[in-house]
Structure formats: structure tokens, C-alpha cells
Amino acid sequence: MDVTALRRYPVKSMGGEALATVELDGRGLVGDRGYAVRDAEARLASGKNTTRLVRRDGVFAYSARTADAGVEVCGPGGTWVVGDPALDRALSVDLGAAVTVAPEDDVPHFDDGAVSLIGTATLEWCARELGADADARRLRPNIVVATSEPFEEEDWSGEVRIGDVVLRPAGRIERCRTIDLAQDGVETRTRWLKPLGDQRDMRVAIYLDVITPGRIAVGDAVELR
């Protein structure tokens, strides 16, 4: 097994960036979900409603990447660097609420795990058996790994070594309506959530915690210990 893709999301719920290599620290990929779109009640823009999150689908029309000047955000009305008041104004108009792009504080930006991972055989199974387009970007994983059996990553235990990094599986990921939305460069919509719920209890991909920080790259071998 080896890594076929790496992806980071500098602003939670916005489109992300493909990477050839990335550093991981104890929190996860360095810079991943470092910012979020936050309203006056400290709720984070997302595709669902919880005590911490609020559904604001307009956020998915934006994407973010790491640039020399900082985190650069591209949206329907232009391109800005995080910290520019014009970005907050544009988002507030598009989302219909007063919001700002803010760094993580006492409200965590991660949902349940530091790093998310999925195998290529799992994606192929979803496309074949569920009739979804199964584009990995709909699931917003950090790491895609070449696998031979569907869902084999769900059975991993112990340590997972990739490059310099040691990870530990931390559970399967329950999906929400976000996977059916046009997002992160995928322009079409799909029906993935319902058939996934019918056949797979709405769970696909896994979370991992970082045990030993370091660097990983596309092409690195994945070793189970």
C-alpha cells in the first residue's frame, strides 16, 4: 500500500488543496482546518446543524489554499487573504449572516479525529455498489491510500506508519449530507448518503490520531504494525 493523494483544508468546510508532501504535528496536518467561518455565536459554518456547527451551504462555493502571503481564499466574488475585512464582508453577504474567518480557539475545528483516511478499493466499491460518483473530495479525506480490498482500512489496529509519521486508528467516520453536495471542485451532486446508510450504516473512511509527528508524501509506503 502507498499514499496516492494528500489533501489539506486550511478553512473548515471550504474546498482544499492537493499536496505532494505535508508535515504532521500532534494536532494533525499542519494548517489543516486552522481557520473556520464563525458567526457571532461562535458557531462554525458547515453542512449540518449541531451545537457547534450551523448549516451554511454557501461556504462550499469557496476554496482555500496556503500561499506565501498566508491562507488565500477564492470565492464567487474574488480572491482574498485571510484577515482582509473584504473577505468577511463577502462571506457575510453570501451566507446571509455576519461571519468572520477566524483561527481555532476554544471551539475545535475538527469533528472527531485529527486525520482522515480512505482506501481506493473502498471508493471503487461505493461507485460500483452504491451508484455514487464516489469522488474522494466529497468525503474531504486528508489521505487516500491504494488498497486492494474494500473497507480494509476499517480493520486496521495498532500502529500505522507513513513516512516519518506514526498514526493510530481512532474509529470509522459517520457521514452527513455534505457528501451529496457540490463542493471542493466537484460541480455535480450525487446520491451517496442514503445508499451508504442502507448498506453501510452511513460510515466510510477512518480517523487516525498522530502518535509520532513528521512528514509524509505522496508515494510513501503504508506499513501496519
Side-chain angles (χ1 to χ4, degrees):
M1 293 184 293
D2 57 20
V3 174
T4 63
L6 294 169
R7 202 158 184 82
R8 176 170 59 193
Y9 302 88
V11 181
K12 183 178 178 64
S13 297
M14 291 186 182
E17 56 186 351
L19 303 171
T21 184
V22 66
E23 295 282 343
L24 280 78
D25 59 18
R27 182 180 174 275
L29 276 68
V30 173
D32 192 37
R33 278 89 166 183
Y35 293 91
V37 180
R38 189 169 65 197
D39 66 16
E41 298 176 352
R43 297 177 302 172
L44 310 181
S46 177
K48 59 184 177 182
N49 291 313
T50 70
T51 56
R52 185 174 58 96
L53 308 174
V54 61
R55 178 178 167 182
R56 302 196 194 279
D57 287 355
V59 72
F60 295 111
Y62 287 76
S63 63
R65 70 181 187 92
T66 306
D68 291 341
V71 172
E72 188 176 84
V73 173
C74 180
T79 300
W80 310 264
V81 173
V82 169
D84 185 342
L87 170 60
D88 295 339
R89 289 195 296 269
L91 280 163
S92 296
V93 170
D94 287 347
L95 274 57
V99 298
T100 60
V101 180
E104 189 174 56
D105 54 13
D106 56 327
V107 179
H109 291 178
F110 288 133
D111 290 340
D112 292 300
V115 178
S116 58
L117 178 149
I118 193 166
T120 55
T122 299
L123 293 168
E124 291 163 3
W125 184 94
C126 288
R128 183 177 65 252
E129 301 296 330
L130 304 183
D133 66 4
D135 190 308
R137 288 173 292 174
R138 295 191 186 280
L139 302 178
R140 308 175 71 79
N142 296 124
I143 305 172
V144 180
V145 173
T147 53
S148 56
E149 296 295 331
F151 309 107
E152 65 179 87
E153 61 273 21
E154 295 182 3
D155 295 327
W156 292 353
S157 60
E159 293 183 346
V160 179
R161 179 177 289 275
I162 307 175
D164 299 329
V165 177
V166 178
L167 305 154
R168 179 175 296 141
R172 300 165 64 215
I173 303 176
E174 183 175 359
R175 314 314 309 199
C176 68
R177 61 181 291 275
T178 301
I179 68 173
D180 285 347
L181 300 179
Q183 59 167 305
D184 199 14
V186 185
E187 298 299 329
T188 56
R189 293 172 178 261
T190 188
R191 281 176 53 83
W192 194 349
L193 186 62
K194 185 179 186 304
L196 184 65
D198 292 341
Q199 297 196 44
R200 290 287 304 177
D201 68 2
M202 291 199 299
R203 288 174 168 80
V204 66
I206 62 171
Y207 284 125
L208 303 104
D209 294 327
V210 179
I211 306 303
T212 303
R215 178 185 292 267
I216 63 176
V218 172
D220 278 350
V222 178
E223 302 175 16
L224 307 181
R225 300 185 174 187

